[in-house]
Amino acid sequence: MHYRVRARIAEIQTRWDALKGERNERTRRLTAAAEARALGRGGIAAVAAVTGLGVATIRRGLADLDHPDGLPSAGRLRRVGGGRKPLTVHDPTLRADLLTLIDPSTRGDPESSLRWTCKSLSQLAQALQALGHPVSPTTVMRLLHAEEYSLQAPRKTLEGLAQHPDRDAQFQYIADQTAAAQAAGQPVISVDAKKKEPIGNFKTGGREWQPAGQPERVQVYDFRHLAVGKATPYGIYDLTQNAGWVTVGSDHDTAQFAVATIRRWWQERGQHQYLTARDLRIVADGGGSNGYRVRLWKAELQRFATTTGLTLHVHHLPPGTSKWNQIEHRLFSVIGRAWRGRPLTTFETLVQCIAHSETATGLTVYAEWDATPYPLGVSVSDAEFAALHLEPAAFHGEWNYTIRP
């Protein structure tokens, strides 16, 4: 080959390599065709050897240069209709069969085996292959995305209980009473007990930074007899101060324990933050140790009101709505992350983890351990209950009531 031709081919090689990663399918074809035309006779073979493109591809590029009106519009790599056709065009029943398999309870055969199995991509691909569709799990994934399917976990939205007709009205009543109390500078707290936590060298949810290959070693089994004890956190969330108080009990979750926590919060925090407070408004769930049917809860609140001189206004959430209690979102969701990936080997560990919980919005949490025993079975007689200074509200007096000193 003439040395001038070799020099020009070397220049083509240099230019091609310099912009190799910047070209798409369309510009590669047109650039190669332009170089081949510039070389003249034998240019197609020479450019094909330099670029690695096929001779047929370069010839299509030359045809595109001769007929620019037939080039794809801006933003497209191929002409309309060009390229490989989708599988659903060659296999018209593929889409319908896939939708039947993915939702057999509504559209498919109730005898389908996939009705009772985890519908993974590989299982769906195998089922489609058995129906005569040669597809891979990756193809199944693309088809599902095209049908606007995605991996989703079940969402807890069904409460399982019939909604009380005054449910929304009770929420509005609590909101109005809370706003009025805060406007008057009176404290408002949300209270509840968090789920019990076993104390011992057990695995907890989440992960924590550790040296590579050196995870915290814990018990293989979470048997109850291996636990040091069981912690019962009872929390108070101050809506105005954005502050939490958690007492970690080591005995039963009773009304006595719940009110003892409120009493400790008031003595250590509340009375110092609300120097002119005359009333205390308490928002609680409808059940549990602080339920509206629990006599001991009201009797203990009476003792608390008498010793502090506070007038207590209590509001209970409607049945089946405990997850809407503000303490669940503002406090418990935060402290629940405090010990992720860390075994709760002692009560002190749990208390310290809770006490160091904080958020970017300024939440602060105080925690303490209460080793006092709170026995079950403590009852309140009819005479004791009748002696309470209990005043039901005009609106749902069983949920809303006042206890005076």
Side-chain angles (χ1 to χ4, degrees), residues 148-399:
E148 297 186 354
Y149 275 81
S150 63
L151 287 175
Q152 300 181 48
R155 180 179 299 175
K156 291 184 177 181
T157 56
L158 304 178
E159 295 176 354
L161 299 174
Q163 292 187 6
H164 195 282
D166 291 332
R167 162 188 160 138
D168 292 343
Q170 175 66 1
F171 277 119
Q172 188 61 53
Y173 182 82
I174 294 175
D176 293 342
Q177 296 296 319
T178 296
Q182 290 180 309
Q186 302 301 307
V188 182
I189 59 174
S190 172
V191 302
D192 195 13
K194 198 178 186 301
K195 74 178 185 70
K196 296 182 178 181
E197 298 289 344
I199 301 299
N201 194 25
F202 303 130
K203 181 180 178 180
T204 57
R207 295 179 291 179
E208 186 180 38
W209 288 105
Q210 297 282 0
Q214 300 180 36
E216 191 83 17
R217 298 185 180 277
V218 297
Q219 298 281 355
V220 175
Y221 302 106
D222 296 343
F223 293 139
R224 182 174 298 180
H225 70 274
L226 298 176
V228 176
K230 182 161 285 191
T232 304
Y234 192 90
I236 297 172
Y237 176 68
D238 186 335
L239 276 66
T240 304
Q241 301 292 331
N242 189 27
W245 175 289
V246 179
T247 296
V248 178
S250 54
D251 202 38
H252 302 292
D253 175 23
T254 68
Q256 288 179 319
F257 173 55
V259 178
T261 301
I262 298 175
R263 183 180 293 109
R264 287 193 182 89
W265 165 80
W266 177 253
Q267 292 171 348
E268 299 294 332
R269 289 287 189 273
Q271 65 179 350
H272 304 295
Q273 294 169 334
Y274 301 96
L275 297 176
T276 61
R278 303 177 307 276
D279 303 322
L280 173 62
R281 202 162 297 270
I282 303 172
V283 181
D285 289 348
S289 59
N290 47 225
Y292 69 93
R293 291 192 180 96
V294 181
R295 283 187 169 189
L296 185 58
W297 160 254
K298 298 174 182 178
E300 290 296 322
L301 286 178
Q302 178 68 78
R303 296 187 182 95
F304 172 59
T306 301
T307 56
T308 60
L310 291 170
T311 298
L312 307 180
H313 305 276
V314 185
H315 307 290
H316 292 276
L317 299 181
T321 61
S322 60
K323 69 176 183 177
W324 303 114
N325 197 344
Q326 294 224 40
I327 193 173
E328 294 285 349
H329 308 282
R330 302 290 184 86
L331 180 62
F332 287 167
S333 63
V334 176
I335 67 175
R337 300 191 297 265
W339 56 83
R340 59 185 179 187
R342 178 176 301 178
L344 302 175
T345 54
T346 65
F347 284 95
E348 181 65 21
T349 301
L350 177 56
V351 169
Q352 291 299 325
C353 286
I354 294 175
H356 285 83
S357 303
E358 59 183 14
T359 65
T361 57
L363 173 70
T364 58
V365 184
Y366 179 85
E368 67 171 9
W369 179 32
D370 181 7
T372 306
Y374 294 98
L376 298 173
V378 179
S379 61
V380 177
S381 66
D382 292 342
E384 290 175 323
F385 189 74
L388 301 181
H389 297 177
L390 183 66
E391 301 175 5
F395 178 75
H396 277 285
E398 75 278 18
W399 294 342

Side-chain angles (χ1 to χ4, degrees), residues 116-143:
W116 313 111
T117 62
C118 173
K119 289 173 278 195
S120 67
L121 294 176
S122 59
Q123 287 175 320
L124 288 170
Q126 291 173 7
L128 289 171
Q129 290 167 10
L131 294 175
H133 306 289
V135 296
S136 66
T138 303
T139 300
V140 173
M141 180 178 65
R142 287 200 302 267
L143 292 173

